[in-house]
Every structure is written in C-alpha cells, then in structure tokens.
Amino acid sequence: MAHYHLLTADIGATHSRFAVFKVFPGENLAGRLAFVNEHWLNTGDFSGFRQMLRAIGKFPDGSPFLPEQMPPAAAVIGVAGPVVGNSCKPPNIPWSLSGLEVEEELGLERAVLINDFVAQGHACLNDHAWLELDEIQAGAARPGSPVAVVGAGSGFGKALLLPGVPPRVLPSEGGHADFPFVGRDEFDFAGYVGAEGRPGRIVLDNIVSGEGLAHLYAYMTGRRLPQREVTQRLSDDPRILEWFARFYGRASRNFIVDTLAFGGLFVTGGMALYAPVLKHPAFLEEFRRADPFEDLFASIPVRHVRSRRAGLWGAAMYEVVEHFTDSA
C-alpha cells in the first residue's frame, strides 16, 4: 500500500493545532508515521469550525500548509468534548463541529472526530521519544493493568488506556464531576469561587485548570489577573502553587482510585508546562494520600508528557491503530 497524507487536529478552548503526517505501511505502529508540518491557531479568533478550516490551507506568509501534490486523504480531529455521531458541541467552545464539515470543506474521503483525550491516550501507547517524557515518580507498572491519562488546560481531561491488541482508549467527561474540597480552608476557597460566579456545583474544570489557577491567585493575593498572566506571577504567594499542586495530585489520585489504573499515570496538558506544578512536593504528597493504599500509590509510575504535539501524534496513532492493527 502506498503512503498517504493524514490531517490531524487538537481542537481546544484556547488553541487549535493542526498537523500533517505521512502514513506508511510498516512493521510497527509508530514506524508508520512521519511528521510533515503543523499549523497553530487561536480558537477564539474564529466564529465557527468552517471558518477555521478555511484558514488552515496556507500559513500567514502565503505558503501552503496542506500538501498540494498529494492532499490529505483523511483526517482525525481531536476535540475537547463528547463526540456523538461524529459531531461534537464542546462545553468550552461557542460552536459545534463535525466530521462532515471537514470532508466538505477540505474534500477528504473521510474525517473522524474523537475526544481530545482519546488522542492523548493513543499518544501514550508507548514511550515514544516525541512524548518528551519526564519521570515524576519511579515505579513498576502492573502488567495488564489500565493506564491513566490526565491533563489540565482550559479544563481537566481524563482517559483510560486499556492494554491489548488492539489497545482501547476510553474517554471521560470527568472534568465535569464535582471537585472534592477537604477542610475548612479549602471550603473557604470554594465559597470564594462560588461568589465569583460559580454558585452551586464547582467541578474539576473550574479548579484544576487555568481558570482554577486564576481563582487561586485572586484568592491568595486579592488581585485579579488574566489566566495567561497568572503563571508568570506564581512567586507572589507560595501558597498558590502549593494549593494547585495539591488539587492536581488529588484529581489524579482519585481517577486511579476509580479505575484501578495501576499501569501508570501520564500527565499532559498545558498547565503542567506553564507552571512547575508536578515538581512541587505537594503533588506527589497528595497523590500518595490514598489510605489504605499509600504504599501502592507510591509504586505507580508517574510521567509528565511535555510535548505540545502529543494530541496531534495521538490522533495519527488512532488512525494507525484503527486501520493497520491487524497487520501489525
């Protein structure tokens, strides 16, 4: 089978990333992919998905992004929201999108929408060099156990990787589950967040996210700053990073408690790149606070995925797994 070009995308509330890969026949899954180029856009600059698709044909300097000699034959689009019937209405983006739009606008044979953390999970199928992994906690993965993938950005994403042939990645909308505050100080903070426009339910997306870090900064310092500026001012109060690391560790631990994902934890997403949250002692202290399973949680390998392209590679890996596993 000759190679073909594949378009992938990682559509988030803040950034939308697109990439082109060459897909080859080959002996192993990762060896079937070659990265060609990428194109980043600000999601908020667009009033709809079709408008965004019309913008990706060329870079700002007029040079082509999509190959002209061999246009993409297919697309896999990761999106931060639940996918139903190859369509999605993301909770943090003011417009919907569908695979049909991609096919019509770009003239592709097929386009598949997947949850963005299905893409992140496929990226973590193996310890590929392009993941740019940092070890946060050494450990020994239990063979055959699920692997957890979590990540904080504009919201909090989760997925569960099930080993096997073919492997399966189960999406989650767990970022919309209630956040578990503990103790009087944290409940005081919850009251502050509620007064700031989040009355009633406060969910993980509100706390373990850029929004949550901005709430923490305002609560600790009395000064409100845009989310993008808060990470540059974390030294203003050491409690900000400590609390955020604790919340991140708690959310990660609870996902593993729910799923028995003793195969390991991959942490991805923009917040761990912008802030040194995973290296703060409070992250692992809270992650291991899993009475009566402290020793077990201290032995789970935890790795940080530093690559900003992980979602793009993961969408490409989804294509390979879905179409070539039988011959792998």
Side-chain angles (χ1 to χ4, degrees):
M1 176 182 176
H3 77 271
Y4 62 94
H5 282 124
L6 173 74
L7 175 69
T8 70
D10 184 4
I11 309 295
T14 304
H15 300 292
S16 289
R17 304 173 176 93
F18 293 82
V20 174
F21 289 83
K22 286 183 180 178
V23 183
F24 300 91
E27 294 300 321
N28 62 77
L29 295 181
R32 292 195 168 116
L33 294 172
F35 179 82
V36 178
N37 61 5
E38 64 184 338
H39 196 353
W40 286 33
L41 301 171
N42 293 319
T43 305
D45 291 345
F46 298 90
S47 60
F49 190 46
R50 287 184 184 269
Q51 182 190 21
M52 179 181 286
L53 292 172
R54 291 164 190 161
I56 66 168
K58 296 183 180 298
F59 291 107
D61 65 2
S63 61
F65 164 62
L66 297 177
E68 296 178 334
Q69 296 299 318
M70 185 187 293
V76 179
I77 310 295
V79 57
V83 176
V84 179
N86 209 25
S87 298
C88 179
K89 175 59 181 77
N92 297 316
I93 300 175
W95 34 262
S96 60
L97 58 162
S98 71
L100 180 61
E101 289 177 292
V102 183
E103 294 169 359
E104 291 178 346
E105 288 294 329
L106 302 181
L108 305 188
E109 296 175 9
R110 56 183 166 83
V112 178
L113 260 60
I114 60 174
N115 176 267
D116 61 335
F117 265 75
V118 169
Q120 294 288 342
H122 278 84
C124 298
L125 286 174
N126 295 290
D127 296 346
H128 304 300
W130 40 259
L131 287 175
E132 302 175 29
L133 293 174
D134 274 348
E135 185 176 77
I136 304 301
Q137 174 171 277
R142 296 202 169 193
S145 293
V147 175
V149 184
V150 303
S154 298
F156 189 73
K158 304 178 183 180
L160 193 65
L161 174 57
L162 303 182
V165 180
R168 297 178 62 203
V169 179
L170 305 182
S172 168
E173 288 297 324
H176 298 279
D178 295 343
F179 183 80
F181 294 100
V182 176
R184 177 176 296 178
D185 289 345
E186 290 188 14
F187 278 103
D188 287 344
F189 172 58
Y192 171 84
V193 175
E196 287 294 295
R198 293 289 181 184
R201 293 183 64 227
I202 299 175
V203 300
L204 273 73
D205 275 4
N206 306 140
I207 301 299
V208 191
S209 63
E211 175 191 346
L213 190 59
H215 284 316
L216 269 176
Y217 184 88
Y219 179 70
M220 297 296 186
T221 68
R223 300 190 301 276
R224 294 181 180 85
L225 291 178
Q227 293 180 26
R228 64 181 179 277
E229 296 181 21
V230 170
T231 53
Q232 303 169 17
R233 304 292 299 273
L234 291 177
S235 61
D236 289 358
D237 189 321
R239 295 176 299 167
I240 301 169
L241 187 57
E242 177 188 351
W243 278 46
F244 192 73
R246 185 198 318 155
F247 291 159
Y248 212 141
R250 186 178 304 163
S252 301
R253 178 198 68 214
N254 286 349
F255 187 44
I256 291 181
V257 169
D258 286 339
T259 60
L260 301 182
F262 298 138
L265 172 69
F266 287 94
V267 183
T268 183
M271 295 310 302
L273 290 172
Y274 304 141
V277 58
L278 302 183
K279 298 295 180 69
H280 194 286
F283 174 83
L284 281 181
E285 288 172 4
E286 187 69 20
F287 177 75
R288 295 167 178 166
R289 190 172 287 125
D291 181 56
F293 307 114
E294 290 92 339
D295 291 344
L296 179 58
F297 272 71
S299 69
I300 295 173
V302 179
R303 286 164 287 184
H304 177 205
V305 178
R306 292 187 295 108
S307 173
R308 298 174 187 268
R309 295 174 175 170
L312 299 172
W313 276 96
M317 286 294 295
Y318 176 91
E319 167 81 1
V320 171
V321 167
E322 289 296 305
H323 290 275
F324 299 105
T325 300
D326 290 343
S327 59

